[in-house]
């Protein structure tokens, strides 16, 4: 049974679903068909894009508006609530059980505490699922119900990223937003159940590699992971857009971070495996996302309202100016 | 990516809304019109005012910014400037702490961003008397300077004929050892300033974020200040109240219910126990078994079982149990005697810096006895900063001088500290005994001693078999010091004395669980290779129990191979019965034991690995085996890793580099896990 994965044809330099699977000579020796390696390699492009998007750059430089950070936290809440709901529903599924680490990983409670800190006790009534986040949440529910093995991709994309850059992002946010050093508002970044993030990531990789999957399924997981990246990009593109409309003092512009430092803060040897780090969201680079976003926004009732309101305001101002 | 994205949001999303738009176009138009009119009406009534929010965007005009740090230092009477190359803020934080420190030593410091000042002025710093420039320099990426230090770095590279001979400096570098260019920036600044003629007054400090950056910084700082004082001939003692960080308050009529008696967090948390249990709220677990494991020999290897029934504590095989030990009461009493104090006085030590988050050095109010028993480490040889601070209380000038010397950075001072304190294993009690003139006030001593830490042990049981019990396997530490004293390991001796019933009372141990990543494979069919000599066998006792349990459940269980090692077969072959029983039942498919002292030639686990290399290689390379190593990090774990690399090289037909990478990759992928200690 354990030799099953060995029998798979080795994919060499194959392009599949955007995942470039490069197998060089050295890798041949150590099962290049291991899912952890296929994912690291196959999401490299998505990760690279994440490094260079404006939102991430701004975040790392400490240019974060409090309002955006709050909205970002709310978006994450909806994503994690969906993901953890589906993971829990499938906890006994043979492809989910090995990577089921609720005590160590699950973020829903931590995010709820953060939201309570930012919005107060009635936080639940104050937040709503944004248009840019909805497709992500819908997709998670869809795979959870129809194709649970793809939850592996969603779980990998988020948690492994959170474990890679979380501490540094926490520091940036803490300084930029002047949040208390005791961690209020930043519970999301604090994995209380994990003593060594490096060690845990290794355990998680070993569990992913233990999943009994055929080559085709592994490639579908890589594809879904890239898709999860795109969904995150949509969330943050939306935030970036909203950010342009918010007038708020950008605090602490001078003390920032570069991606390189994030990398240094991470444990060594994992640099290429960091699927993308917490801010990780991305925008630039792909015009289709922008179009998709625009279309989605237009079809969303609250956005229609917003659009109408803007048109109205504009009309009003124009009238006032001209008359 | 194209084929995937095509069916994502773009196609699946819209269908819901399209059928019946919530708003018709007419609605939208009307709505816009109405709002537009309202806005017009409103705006035309009110005089437009500048929108206040925009103001905030304007930063205060930096027109008259002071770029001369020398002028600023002169104006404010500073003699120490701490430059920071910082990206995450840690470097800056260290710089701030150092500049604050200066005050405590009768000097005045300021932290400064090199980007904001004219760094060429460094050549003129000697205009200020007793001046010193400290550099806290972080490195990132491929050995690059931080953004704010880039100009400074460029300047250093360009200037070749600059003469910095009047400049006193020292560098603390911040970096991460897992990177190839470890601390490149700090090292460069340190070296370059010397090349330019500046005077290094204290050795470069290297902070490793992969290890413990804070600790590296603190220990560097401890050595650094005494030597600065020495360099400038500053008497750091002088007014001793100025050095104290905490203020003593004695309580005379305090209700004993408000006094800490060893709790880590909540008062009375030991009397009224409430889950969840963690480091701030440990569970008091009764000891149900405490037996000696070895049959002979002068060591004491012990097996202790803790009962966690009703605690709701859950654990997995491979997790760690943390226990909070207490110091030997005889030692505490001796400290009280030698200092001539009543240990039962109830006190608080309150931080003089009211802004600090840390109000007390340990839970207060409490008695000196509780502090010295539960909260403070009195067994370790004190660090140099403790000696430095205590020196003022030595009435014999010679003792005082020796203590100052030991905490200085001079080679003789370091040598003296290494031999007289570390080499001789002198703890604070031994120092007080051997320096009769040194009698510090007990409250200052309590302020200076480090906190007594929780001790971690790999759990030697499986929760599948023993959900309500946690086993510990440990060796009692006890040795004779060069001064003829007997030093005892705090936690292991305390555990050894935790008898199952102590005068009719159940002994308890304050404990909590720390999760680890040292876990069995999810699939029972995957083979496991366990390497753990001595007490390194602890987690494997749990693993073996769990594999046995899986087998009893009718599961197909893969090969389970153990490499154990001890000194003599007849003395310290611990758990021999259990292991042989497991082998007989087929739970352990291979039991390899190395006896290092039974034969003339020492045999260790790594030798046994080589003996069965063909089989091992097959398990690792073809059968996806997981390798686990537990025990001594310094020698054993390294030798085992080398042995496995040798095997990969030989049987995998790899070059040395390939074999090294192969093993590293096994680690990255979680198939080679280590639980090791020094």
């Amino acid at each position: 049974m354990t030799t099953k994965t060995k029998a798979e044809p080795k994919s060499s330099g194959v392009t599949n679903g955007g995942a470039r699977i490069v197998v060089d000579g050295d890798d041949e020796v150590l099962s290049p068909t291991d899912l952890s390696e296929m994912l690291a390699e196959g999401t490299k492009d998505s990760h690279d894009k994440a490094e260079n998007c404006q939102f991430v750059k701004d975040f790392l430089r400490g240019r974060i508006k409090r309002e955006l950070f709050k909205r970002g936290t709310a978006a994450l809440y909806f994503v994690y609530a969906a993901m953890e709901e589906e993971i829990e529903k499938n906890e006994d599924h043979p492809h989910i059980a090995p990577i089921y680490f609720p005590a160590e990983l699950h973020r829903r409670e931590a995010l709820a505490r953060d939201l309570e800190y930012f919005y107060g006790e009635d936080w639940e009534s104050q937040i709503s699922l944004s248009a840019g986040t909805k497709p992500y949440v819908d997709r998670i529910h869809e795979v959870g119900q129809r194709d649970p093995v793809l939850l592996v991709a969603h779980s990998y994309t988020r948690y492994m990223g959170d474990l890679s850059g979380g501490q540094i992002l926490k520091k940036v946010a803490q300084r930029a937003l002047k949040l208390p050093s005791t961690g209020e508002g930043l519970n999301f970044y604090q994995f209380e159940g994990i003593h060594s993030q490096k060690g845990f990531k290794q355990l998680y990789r070993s569990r992913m590699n233990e999943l009994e999957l055929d080559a085709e399924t592994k490639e579908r997981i890589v594809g879904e992971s890239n898709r999860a990246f795109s969904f995150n990009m949509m969330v943050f593109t939306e935030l970036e857009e909203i950010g342009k409309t918010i007038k708020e003092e950008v605090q602490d512009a001078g003390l920032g971070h570069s991606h390189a430092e994030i990398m240094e803060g991470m444990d060594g040897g994992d640099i290429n495996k960091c699927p993308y780090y917490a801010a990780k969201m991305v925008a630039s680079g792909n015009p289709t996302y922008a179009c998709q976003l625009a279309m989605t926004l237009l079809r969303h009732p609250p956005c229609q309202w917003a659009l109408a309101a803007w048109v109205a305001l504009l009309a009003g101002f124009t009238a006032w100016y001209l008359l | 990516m194209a084929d995937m994205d095509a069916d994502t949001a773009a196609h699946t999303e819209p269908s819901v809304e399209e059928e019946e738009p919530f708003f018709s176009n007419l609605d939208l138009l009307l709505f816009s019109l109405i709002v537009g009119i309202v806005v017009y009406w409103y705006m035309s009534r009110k005089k437009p005012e500048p929108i206040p929010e925009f103001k905030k965007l304007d930063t205060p005009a930096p027109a008259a910014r002071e770029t001369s740090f020398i002028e600023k230092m002169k104006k404010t009477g500073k003699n120490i400037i701490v430059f920071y190359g910082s990206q995450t803020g840690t470097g800056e934080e260290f710089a701030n702490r150092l500049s604050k420190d200066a005050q405590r030593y009768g000097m005045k410091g300021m932290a400064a961003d090199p980007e904001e000042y004219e760094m060429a002025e460094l050549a003129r710093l000697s205009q200020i008397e007793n001046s010193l420039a400290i550099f806290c320099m972080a490195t990132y990426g491929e050995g690059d300077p931080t953004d704010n230090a880039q100009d400074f770095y460029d300047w250093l590279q360009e200037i070749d004929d600059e003469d910095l001979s009047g400049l006193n400096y020292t560098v603390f570098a911040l970096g991460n050892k897992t990177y190839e260019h470890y601390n490149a920036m700090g090292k460069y600044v340190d070296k370059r300033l010397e090349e330019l003629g500046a005077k290094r007054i204290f050795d470069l400090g290297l902070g490793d974020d992969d290890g413990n950056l804070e600790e590296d910084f603190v220990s560097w700082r401890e050595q650094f200040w005494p030597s600065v004082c020495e360099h400038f001939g500053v008497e750091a003692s002088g007014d001793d109240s100025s050095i104290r960080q905490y203020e003593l308050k004695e309580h005379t009529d305090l209700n004993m219910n408000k006094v800490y008696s060893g709790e880590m967090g909540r008062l009375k948390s030991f009397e009224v126990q409430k889950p969840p249990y963690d480091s701030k709220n440990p569970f008091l677990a009764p000891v149900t078994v405490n037996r000696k494991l070895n049959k002979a020999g002068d060591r004491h290897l012990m097996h202790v079982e803790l009962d966690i029934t009703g605690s709701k504590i859950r654990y997995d095989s491979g997790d760690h149990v943390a226990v909070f030990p207490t110091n030997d009461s005889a030692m505490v009493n001796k400290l009280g005697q030698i200092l001539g104090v009543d240990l039962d006085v109830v006190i608080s030590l309150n931080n003089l810096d009211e802004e600090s988050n840390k109000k007390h050095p340990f839970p207060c109010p409490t008695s000196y006895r509780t502090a010295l028993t539960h909260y403070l480490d009195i067994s370790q040889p004190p660090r140099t900063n403790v000696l430095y601070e205590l020196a003022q209380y030595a009435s014999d000038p010679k003792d005082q001088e020796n203590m100052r010397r030991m905490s200085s950075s001079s080679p003789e001072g370091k040598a003296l500290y290494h031999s007289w304190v570390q080499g001789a294993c002198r703890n604070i009690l031994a120092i007080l005994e051997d320096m009769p003139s040194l009698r510090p006030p007990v409250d200052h001593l309590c302020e200076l001693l480090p906190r007594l830490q929780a001790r971690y042990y790999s759990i030697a049981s499986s929760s599948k078999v023993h959900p309500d019990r946690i086993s510990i396997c440990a060796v009692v530490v006890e040795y004779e010091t060069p001064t003829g004293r007997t030093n005892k390991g705090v936690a292991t001796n305390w555990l050894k004395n935790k008898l199952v019933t102590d005068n009719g009372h159940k002994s308890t141990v304050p404990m909590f669980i720390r999760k680890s990543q040292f876990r069995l494979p999810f699939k029972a069919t995957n083979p496991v290779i366990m390497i753990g000599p001595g007490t390194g066998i602890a987690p494997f006792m749990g693993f073996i129990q769990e594999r046995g349990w899986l087998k009893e459940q009718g599961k197909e269980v893969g090969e389970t191979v153990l490499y154990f090692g001890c000194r003599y077969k007849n003395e310290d072959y611990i758990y021999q019965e259990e292991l042989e029983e497991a082998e007989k039942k087929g739970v352990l498919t291979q039991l390899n034991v190395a006896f290092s002292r039974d034969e003339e030639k020492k045999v260790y686990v790594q030798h046994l690995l080589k003996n069965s290399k063909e089989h091992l290689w097959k398990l690792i390379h073809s059968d996806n085996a997981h390798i686990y190593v537990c025990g001594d990090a310094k020698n054993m774990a390294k030798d085992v890793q080398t042995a496995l690399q040798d095997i990969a090289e030989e049987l995998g037909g790899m070059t040395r580099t390939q074999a090294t990478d192969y093993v590293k990759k096994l680690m990255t992928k979680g198939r080679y896990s280590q639980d090791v200690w020094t």
Side-chain angles (χ1 to χ4, degrees):
Chain A
M1 192 157 52
T2 46
T3 52
K4 196 172 155 195
T5 50
K6 299 267 140 202
E8 292 158 15
K10 289 190 173 144
S11 32
S12 204
V14 177
T15 307
N16 188 311
R20 210 179 54 241
I21 301 156
V22 182
V23 180
D24 56 38
D26 280 1
D27 284 347
E28 292 278 354
V29 244
L30 198 73
S31 320
T33 50
D34 273 347
L35 182 59
S36 72
E37 280 164 348
M38 288 176 68
L39 274 166
E41 192 59 42
T43 57
K44 235 179 195 167
D45 289 348
S46 299
H47 187 261
D48 286 349
K49 276 184 203 154
E51 285 176 26
N52 296 309
C53 99
Q54 199 54 44
F55 194 94
V56 173
K57 283 183 183 167
D58 285 350
F59 191 117
L60 295 176
R61 283 191 202 110
R63 301 177 67 91
I64 326 154
K65 292 166 183 164
R66 191 182 176 92
E67 175 61 23
L68 273 201
F69 191 78
K70 285 165 69 174
R71 288 187 191 217
T73 306
L76 289 175
Y77 175 79
F78 287 108
V79 170
Y80 281 89
M83 187 160 75
E84 286 159 14
E85 183 191 328
E86 294 303 333
I87 288 175
E88 263 149 30
K89 273 189 205 157
N90 290 287
E91 65 173 290
D92 295 323
H93 188 284
H95 294 142
I96 300 301
I99 56 148
Y100 183 61
F101 291 100
E104 286 89 345
L105 291 178
H106 286 194
R107 301 283 87 204
R108 188 194 155 128
E109 293 309 313
L111 284 161
R113 272 179 281 143
D114 289 341
L115 290 170
E116 188 176 340
Y117 173 78
F118 287 122
Y119 290 98
E121 261 175 40
D122 61 338
W123 59 272
E124 267 175 297
S125 62
Q126 292 194 48
I127 61 168
S128 58
L129 178 57
S130 73
T133 313
K134 190 170 181 298
Y136 193 176
V137 169
D138 289 347
R139 176 65 185 169
I140 290 169
H141 285 305
E142 187 187 339
V143 301
Q145 277 146 30
R146 292 190 202 156
D147 202 358
V149 70
L150 294 184
L151 287 174
V152 174
H154 287 280
S155 173
Y156 165 84
T157 309
R158 287 293 341 172
Y159 294 126
M160 294 292 268
D162 298 333
L163 283 174
S164 297
Q167 288 314 299
I168 298 225
L169 288 165
K170 181 184 168 188
K171 261 192 210 164
V172 175
Q174 208 159 42
R175 295 175 63 83
L177 303 176
K178 304 206 164 49
L179 295 169
S181 60
T182 35
E184 283 93 340
L186 298 164
N187 288 300
F188 171 69
Y189 298 102
Q190 196 66 44
F191 287 84
E192 298 288 354
I194 294 176
H195 167 61
S196 155
Q197 306 205 335
K198 180 177 175 176
F200 186 83
K201 282 193 281 184
Q202 292 174 350
L203 171 65
Y204 195 86
R205 280 184 208 115
S206 83
R207 289 297 177 83
M208 284 200 302
N209 294 340
E210 274 195 72
L211 299 174
E212 290 186 45
L213 304 166
D214 56 29
E216 188 246 327
T217 310
K218 286 182 191 176
E219 269 149 23
R220 284 202 303 126
I221 290 172
V222 175
E224 187 70 18
S225 180
N226 278 308
R227 232 165 133 170
F229 269 96
S230 320
F231 284 126
N232 280 284
M233 291 170 191
M234 282 176 73
V235 171
F236 293 111
T237 308
E238 184 189 41
L239 283 173
E240 200 188 328
E241 290 306 312
I242 294 169
K244 288 177 187 162
T245 68
I246 298 174
K247 307 259 185 315
E248 188 183 328
E249 186 177 10
V250 175
Q251 297 158 340
D252 195 14
L255 299 155
H257 265 268
S258 70
H259 181 64
E261 190 174 10
I262 289 270
M263 292 316 216
E264 186 169 20
M266 284 168 25
D267 42 271
D270 274 345
I271 293 180
N272 295 327
K273 272 115 203 158
C274 160
Y276 77 124
Y277 38 96
K280 26 207 147 142
M281 17 217 73
V282 161
S284 61
N286 196 335
T288 56
Y289 297 135
C291 291
Q292 278 175 16
L293 181 69
M295 294 303 281
T296 320
L297 289 176
L298 278 175
R299 292 192 179 94
H300 200 69
C303 292
Q304 293 176 337
W305 266 101
L307 189 70
W310 274 109
V311 170
L313 272 169
L314 198 69
F317 274 114
T318 316
W320 168 73
Y321 183 76
L322 292 175
L323 300 178
Chain B
M1 205 178 274
D3 59 333
M4 281 177 343
D5 286 334
D7 64 321
T8 344
H11 288 313
T12 51
E13 264 315 295
S15 55
V16 196
E17 319 283 355
E18 260 171 349
E19 291 160 25
E20 181 120 27
F22 193 69
F23 294 103
S24 71
N25 289 342
L26 188 64
D27 286 340
L28 283 178
L29 187 70
L30 282 173
F31 174 74
S32 305
L33 255 170
I34 293 162
V35 177
I37 290 162
V38 170
V39 169
Y40 167 67
W41 177 75
Y42 184 75
M43 293 304 283
S44 59
R45 275 165 46 99
K46 229 185 161 186
K47 278 263 154 74
E49 277 173 42
I51 300 166
E53 274 116 336
F54 285 112
K55 264 193 199 156
K56 290 187 189 163
L57 287 175
D58 299 328
T59 43
R65 205 178 66 179
E66 180 81 89
T67 61
S68 166
F69 61 84
I70 297 224
E71 291 312 310
K72 197 165 175 183
M73 287 172 78
K74 282 180 179 167
K75 245 184 259 169
T76 52
K78 307 270 160 69
N79 66 321
I80 292 180
I81 184 156
V82 195
F83 291 106
Y84 53 86
S86 177
Q87 206 86 15
T88 63
T90 313
E92 187 185 356
E93 185 202 314
F94 286 179
N96 283 323
R97 284 163 67 178
L98 286 168
S99 72
K100 252 192 190 165
D101 279 350
Q103 254 93 324
R104 298 180 54 198
Y105 295 91
M107 292 171 269
K108 286 186 93 180
M110 65 179 263
D113 183 344
E115 204 170 36
E116 288 175 11
Y117 294 99
E118 178 50 56
M119 295 305 281
E121 282 193 345
L122 282 173
R124 299 198 291 122
L125 190 64
S126 54
Q127 291 175 358
I128 295 170
E129 201 194 354
N130 278 354
S131 61
L132 165 67
I134 306 173
F135 296 87
C136 290
M137 289 290 152
T139 300
Y140 77 97
E142 303 296 305
D144 302 319
T146 57
D147 289 343
N148 78 322
Q150 185 68 50
D151 292 348
F152 174 50
Y153 177 71
D154 294 344
W155 175 75
L156 279 177
Q157 282 190 308
E158 284 159 19
I159 46 158
D160 278 327
D161 25 71
E162 193 87 27
D163 177 20
L164 298 181
S165 56
L167 175 68
N168 294 318
Y169 79 96
T170 188
V171 180
F172 184 81
L174 297 87
N176 189 316
K177 218 172 223 161
T178 50
Y179 293 81
E180 209 181 315
H181 305 274
Y182 176 52
N183 272 330
M185 180 60 182
K187 287 175 183 167
Y188 174 77
V189 171
D190 185 61
K191 186 174 127 267
R192 185 64 179 151
L193 288 174
E194 187 181 39
E195 282 171 8
L196 295 167
K199 185 174 183 204
R200 181 192 298 114
I201 69 158
F202 191 71
D203 292 344
L204 169 72
L206 295 176
D208 175 18
D209 205 17
D210 190 50
N212 189 333
L213 189 57
E214 169 72 20
E215 217 165 75
D216 294 336
F217 173 67
V218 167
S219 52
W220 178 82
R221 181 171 80 154
E222 272 169 16
Q223 311 264 354
F224 164 71
W225 282 115
S227 91
V228 172
C229 291
E230 195 184 68
H231 184 86
F232 291 138
V234 181
E235 275 295 324
S237 59
D239 176 15
D240 55 80
S241 66
S242 67
I243 312 174
R244 292 294 295 266
Q245 203 183 332
Y246 296 93
E247 170 184 58
L248 171 69
K249 187 172 181 340
E250 286 191 20
H251 305 279
T252 46
D253 50 355
L254 203 62
N255 182 337
M256 285 315 272
N257 283 329
K258 292 192 174 137
V259 178
Y260 281 90
S261 57
E263 300 92 329
M264 293 301 145
R266 184 172 51 87
L267 253 176
K268 302 292 154 214
S269 58
F270 288 152
E271 271 112 66
V272 188
Q273 292 244 288
K274 272 186 234 153
Y277 299 105
D278 54 29
S279 60
K280 286 274 170 317
N281 181 32
F283 174 66
L284 287 180
V287 176
T288 49
V289 174
N290 189 348
R291 66 182 167 98
K292 188 174 176 178
L293 286 167
N294 48 322
K295 298 183 200 84
D298 46 9
R299 294 188 305 164
H300 183 108
L301 291 104
M302 60 186 167
H303 175 87
V304 177
E305 290 180 8
L306 307 177
D307 185 1
I308 53 167
T309 309
S311 66
K312 292 186 181 159
I313 289 174
R314 287 167 64 187
Y315 72 99
D316 283 297
S317 311
D319 284 345
H320 295 136
V321 56
V323 302
F324 287 101
T326 56
N327 290 311
D328 178 24
S329 59
M331 222 183 131
V332 174
N333 285 331
K334 272 192 197 166
L335 269 175
Q337 266 168 28
I338 207 164
L339 295 174
V341 290
D342 176 2
L343 291 175
D344 296 311
V345 171
V346 175
I347 55 123
S348 288
L349 287 176
N350 301 319
N351 201 329
L352 290 163
D353 178 1
E354 282 165 13
E355 283 166 44
S356 173
N357 285 333
K358 199 175 155 192
K359 298 282 174 239
H360 317 284
F362 44 77
C364 287
T366 191
S367 69
Y368 286 125
R369 183 182 305 283
T370 305
L372 292 168
T373 306
H374 292 268
Y375 299 135
L376 298 170
D377 190 332
I378 57 174
S379 305
Q380 292 296 315
R383 298 222 262 185
T384 52
N385 69 314
V386 178
L387 298 181
Y388 183 81
E389 299 267 353
L390 290 183
Q392 57 182 308
Y393 302 114
S395 55
D396 183 339
K398 235 176 96 194
D399 285 346
Q400 198 172 101
E401 196 199 314
N402 273 336
M403 290 181 78
R404 292 249 159 82
R405 197 136 49 96
M406 281 192 280
S407 45
S408 79
S409 66
S410 70
E412 319 88 73
K414 277 184 186 168
L416 186 61
Y417 175 74
H418 277 292
S419 67
W420 200 79
V421 179
Q422 287 186 316
C425 305
R426 278 191 171 91
N427 55 33
I428 186 64
L429 180 61
I431 288 173
L432 291 172
E433 283 171 349
D434 294 348
M435 274 196 188
S437 92
L438 175 66
R439 290 299 174 262
V442 65
D443 60 295
H444 199 177
L445 184 65
C446 287
E447 170 179 328
L448 292 172
L449 290 174
R451 280 292 292 269
L452 185 59
Q453 302 292 328
R455 304 305 208 265
Y456 295 89
Y457 298 97
S458 308
I459 296 177
S461 55
S462 161
S463 57
K464 293 288 187 306
V465 185
H466 304 292
D468 290 331
R469 180 217 283 182
I470 282 172
S471 300
I472 294 173
C473 165
V475 58
V476 175
V477 178
E478 190 173 323
Y479 58 93
E480 187 146 322
T481 73
T483 60
R485 295 177 169 93
T486 303
N487 271 10
K488 294 177 168 188
V490 176
T492 52
N493 279 283
W494 166 81
L495 264 181
K496 182 188 165 193
N497 293 322
K498 287 280 177 187
L499 304 176
V500 176
T501 48
D502 199 359
N503 289 330
H505 290 285
K506 276 188 178 174
S507 295
T508 58
V509 167
M511 53 77 70
F512 65 96
I513 298 291
R514 185 173 75 183
K515 286 281 181 199
S516 93
Q517 68 286 346
F518 204 74
R519 301 274 184 89
L520 277 170
F522 189 80
K523 276 191 292 189
T525 49
N526 274 335
V528 299
I529 299 161
M530 306 176 287
I531 304 156
T535 54
I537 197 169
F540 304 135
M541 293 311 293
F543 281 12
I544 293 165
Q545 285 176 7
E546 189 143 337
R547 299 280 270 194
W549 176 83
L550 286 164
K551 230 173 143 75
E552 277 170 25
Q553 306 294 302
K555 296 247 167 65
E556 190 193 334
V557 178
E559 280 196 51
T560 307
V561 179
L562 176 70
Y563 290 87
F564 174 67
C566 60
R567 293 177 182 175
Y568 305 99
K569 186 170 185 177
N570 294 325
E571 280 191 8
D572 54 349
Y573 184 1
I574 58 175
Y575 298 116
Q576 184 177 359
E577 294 75 26
E578 288 95 325
L579 293 174
E580 286 173 355
E581 179 70 18
E583 193 186 23
K584 216 167 69 191
K585 282 190 184 161
V587 174
L588 265 182
T589 53
Q590 249 191 58
L591 172 58
N592 308 282
V593 188
F595 302 104
S596 63
R597 300 191 189 172
D598 271 346
E599 286 157 65
E600 208 162 297
K601 196 172 163 271
K602 291 194 171 183
V603 181
Y604 292 116
V605 280
Q606 58 268 29
H607 302 125
L608 298 188
L609 291 174
K610 288 276 182 76
N611 290 350
S612 46
K613 58 188 175 194
E614 278 86 10
H615 186 61
L616 270 180
W617 181 245
K618 180 187 163 281
L619 289 179
I620 296 167
H621 192 61
S622 312
D623 301 344
N624 274 318
H626 286 231
I627 305 163
Y628 303 88
V629 181
C630 182
D632 166 60
K634 223 159 105 199
N635 302 307
M636 186 275 294
K638 269 194 187 144
D639 292 340
V640 164
Q641 190 174 336
T642 311
L644 290 170
Q645 282 166 0
D646 290 346
I647 293 173
E649 194 177 339
E650 189 189 332
L651 298 174
M654 294 178 216
T655 64
R656 190 73 201 155
T657 327
Q658 281 174 328
T660 313
D661 285 350
Y662 183 88
V663 170
K664 265 195 197 153
K665 229 169 185 182
L666 285 175
M667 290 181 177
T668 311
K669 296 203 288 184
R671 274 181 53 205
Y672 186 149
S673 310
Q674 306 191 79
D675 179 4
V676 294
W677 55 82
T678 47

